[in-house]
Amino acid sequence: MAAWRTERVLAALGVLSVCAAISSGPLAPGEPGGEVEWAEPWDGAVFRPPAALGAVGVARGPEPPPGREHTADLPVLLWWSPGLFPHFPGDSERIECARGACLASRDRRAQAEPRTRALLFYGTDFRAADAPLPRQAHQSWALLHEESPLNNFLLSHGPGIRLFNLTATFSRHSDYPLPLQWLPGAAYLRRAAPPLRERAEWRRRGYAPLLYLQSHCDVPADRDRYVRELMRYIPVDSYGKCLQNRQLPTVRLQDTATATGEDPELLAFLSRYKFHLALENAICHDYMTEKLWRPMHLGAVPVYRGSPSVRDWMPNNHSIILIDDFESPQKLAEFIDFLDKNDEEYIKYLAYKQPGGITNQFLLDSLEHREWGVNDPLLPNYLNGFECFVCDHELARLDAEKAHASSPGDIPVPEPHVAQPSHMNCPVPTPGFGKVEEIPENDSWKEMWLQDYWQGLDQGEALTAMIHNNETQQKKFWDYLHQIFMKRNQNL
């Protein structure tokens, strides 16, 4: 995997680990989901990407009992995406999980071994051209993909996702769900908002009511097209590379190498805005990132477009403004202007910050019962958690196979578990504003993302045909590889 992607995942895990260490605590008496007061985890080193995977602080299982150190008979889990191997610095590691032990490895030479029971893939890296073929009949394929589909549209189609047996994605329907990966805990939402008088002063100094901060401008959700139209009806201060009309107040903040998205000085600046445009880079059910949770942490009202199921996860039923609830950007602008001028109505959107204000029991239960933790000595991070989830699945599958072998007439062959489209649940990209047929054919979004989406379907169908030895369809796979080869040569 590319180094920057590895660092992004690890930085997220490291950030959440620190957040949870501070936020976790006993429930406050009489308050649903109560937690100790949130304290900002700024220690200067937290938000720099770690130099090595070991810096995350891997949560390991208990030491094996005497006599169980031997690994020769353990099932092997092979990380086909070696950049995410969570056992730095070695190439293999014995792991102890709920059902027993497995051997985790990143040595691809183990692919054809009978003991290798599962291959673990990072979705952003998975490409048909790099698929480990021929696929071994006794092996499960396990997918970890917590990022948006813009990195790999192959997985947004049935033929692509059904290549895998086990999944850990942002979808609540995946086998090891990660929908709240950017929310450390309920206390993160309860941080006090700045007084309205301070924000009123900010407005008098000429700042807009609405903030937009994006530097990834060409994305499947086509968010800039909508924001550009919205700007016709209400002032928007845009600080990133996308639709930029203002500069951040200091040179240090303008340099992303010195100021990350969680920099305390940057957050203090962003918290002065009453409304934040929070538009995800792709539209998928349950895909919610820091673009949503960070404004809520800061006490701003997110003006949100992203997960169609976002209401299911909100602290109460009156905490965000959904763009798709309004028939036009002009109507949305009128509503934001109304709230901006009416403090009594605006403050209703921050009621979840008060004691007992988080009334969504589904959210509280999901935070309490998720199987992965953040710097919790009793829970793994989601990398190690998914690894043990796969290990336990393979141990159970081995037991079922042995039971069938011992009594084939009474016990059937275990059916393979297969991932479903709901494990990603990302519809076809649509324009941020207007209709597809109204957009010129040479539009960059239309050329890139719609084409990539349907190419993902072609890749999935071709690879499926290759795996199942469908001779009439295999030519499609080789034609696809040839196209990749030709494109690479053109770019040399």
Side-chain angles (χ1 to χ4, degrees):
M1 180 173 57
W4 70 269
R5 291 197 186 110
T6 304
E7 290 178 348
R8 176 178 173 182
V9 174
L10 300 182
L13 288 171
V15 168
L16 292 179
S17 297
V18 174
C19 294
I22 296 171
S23 68
S24 60
L27 297 181
E31 181 181 352
E35 294 186 32
V36 295
E37 183 178 355
W38 178 265
E40 299 289 7
W42 314 131
D43 69 355
V46 174
F47 301 100
R48 288 198 296 269
L53 185 56
V56 173
V58 171
R60 296 181 182 269
E63 291 296 322
R68 293 191 60 193
E69 294 84 356
H70 188 56
T71 61
D73 58 347
L74 296 181
V76 175
L77 313 180
L78 174 60
W79 282 89
W80 197 253
S81 301
L84 276 189
F85 183 67
H87 306 288
F88 180 85
D91 288 332
S92 64
E93 182 80 16
R94 178 193 176 109
I95 60 173
E96 297 287 335
C97 302
R99 292 186 67 99
C102 292
L103 183 68
S105 175
R106 60 177 172 180
D107 187 344
R108 287 190 174 188
R109 291 175 297 179
Q111 177 198 352
E113 291 291 329
R115 286 174 51 213
T116 301
R117 297 285 300 184
L119 272 62
L120 281 63
F121 300 87
Y122 187 54
T124 296
D125 290 345
F126 184 81
R127 295 292 183 272
D130 190 43
L133 300 179
R135 182 168 181 171
Q136 306 297 314
H138 67 285
Q139 292 174 351
S140 297
W141 281 15
L143 172 70
L144 173 68
H145 190 49
E146 89 296 5
E147 292 189 315
S148 88
L150 72 85
N151 298 296
N152 195 348
F153 272 116
L154 182 155
L155 305 173
S156 298
H157 300 279
I161 194 68
R162 281 193 287 263
L163 292 168
F164 299 92
N165 304 102
L166 303 172
T167 60
T169 77
F170 47 76
S171 171
R172 75 185 82 179
H173 302 295
S174 66
D175 300 304
Y176 194 78
L178 306 173
L180 297 176
Q181 58 175 306
W182 288 102
L183 181 59
Y188 183 78
L189 299 173
R190 295 195 182 97
R191 178 186 187 267
L196 287 179
R197 63 179 181 276
E198 292 184 9
R199 286 173 163 173
E201 174 60 27
W202 192 245
R203 295 281 283 110
R204 284 192 290 270
R205 291 170 57 185
Y207 289 86
L210 195 55
L211 172 135
Y212 188 52
L213 180 62
Q214 291 297 336
S215 291
H216 192 175
C217 307
D218 193 2
V219 297
D222 197 28
R223 55 195 172 201
D224 293 342
R225 200 186 307 270
Y226 186 91
V227 176
R228 187 180 296 110
E229 181 68 15
L230 182 66
M231 285 175 163
R232 296 177 55 195
Y233 305 104
I234 192 170
V236 177
D237 287 348
S238 182
Y239 290 95
K241 295 178 182 177
C242 311
L243 307 179
Q244 185 181 57
N245 57 22
R246 299 196 75 142
Q247 288 279 1
L248 288 166
T250 66
V251 173
R252 193 186 72 82
L253 292 182
Q254 295 165 18
D255 184 358
T256 56
T258 58
T260 71
E262 303 296 337
D263 183 275
E265 183 184 352
L266 177 62
L267 292 184
F269 176 78
L270 300 182
S271 69
R272 294 166 177 166
Y273 283 85
K274 294 170 72 174
F275 304 91
H276 288 198
L277 279 166
L279 290 81
E280 305 290 5
N281 59 31
I283 308 299
C284 302
H285 285 269
D286 297 338
Y287 179 64
M288 302 162 294
T289 69
E290 79 286 355
K291 296 174 187 66
L292 170 65
W293 302 116
R294 183 172 60 193
M296 301 183 77
H297 171 62
L298 297 176
V301 177
V303 181
Y304 183 76
R305 174 181 277 170
S307 167
S309 53
V310 67
R311 279 193 174 97
D312 293 351
W313 303 97
M314 289 299 94
N316 61 30
N317 60 6
H318 200 74
S319 50
I320 62 173
I321 298 171
L322 295 182
I323 287 174
D324 292 334
D325 283 349
F326 296 83
E327 63 182 46
S328 68
Q330 182 176 2
K331 293 295 184 182
L332 172 62
E334 291 171 359
F335 184 69
I336 294 172
D337 184 61
F338 166 76
L339 291 180
D340 186 38
K341 295 174 180 175
N342 291 269
D343 289 350
E344 185 176 343
E345 292 299 316
Y346 174 82
I347 206 69
K348 291 178 181 179
Y349 282 83
L350 303 179
Y352 63 87
K353 292 187 173 293
Q354 303 305 315
I358 299 181
T359 58
N360 184 349
Q361 197 60 45
F362 174 69
L363 172 65
L364 295 172
D365 289 346
S366 298
L367 287 169
E368 181 179 356
H369 299 302
R370 59 187 177 186
E371 297 180 14
W372 44 275
V374 280
N375 206 33
D376 186 331
L378 302 178
L379 292 172
N381 62 49
Y382 63 71
L383 281 181
N384 297 90
F386 182 56
E387 188 180 58
C388 257
F389 174 81
V390 175
C391 173
D392 288 338
H393 177 272
E394 293 310 307
L395 290 171
R397 191 162 68 95
L398 278 169
D399 289 343
E401 290 172 357
K402 291 175 182 177
H404 167 72
S406 65
S407 185
D410 299 325
I411 301 176
V413 177
E415 291 289 331
H417 181 80
V418 179
Q420 298 300 312
S422 63
H423 294 201
M424 285 292 289
N425 215 350
C426 304
V428 182
T430 57
F433 178 73
K435 300 178 181 179
V436 172
E437 52 269 24
E438 298 171 345
I439 299 176
E441 290 303 318
N442 61 352
D443 180 85
S444 60
W445 173 85
K446 194 171 185 178
E447 286 184 342
M448 179 179 295
W449 296 116
L450 284 183
Q451 178 179 326
D452 277 10
Y453 181 84
W454 295 114
Q455 281 183 348
L457 176 61
D458 290 341
Q459 294 172 29
E461 290 178 339
L463 184 52
T464 299
M466 191 68 185
I467 288 173
H468 293 291
N469 199 30
N470 185 331
E471 294 183 4
T472 61
Q473 295 293 325
Q474 284 185 12
K475 183 177 183 299
K476 191 174 185 180
F477 180 79
W478 296 116
D479 287 346
Y480 164 70
L481 294 183
H482 178 70
Q483 291 172 14
I484 291 178
F485 176 77
M486 295 300 293
K487 286 181 181 177
R488 287 176 178 170
N489 282 350
Q490 291 172 6
N491 292 331
L492 291 178

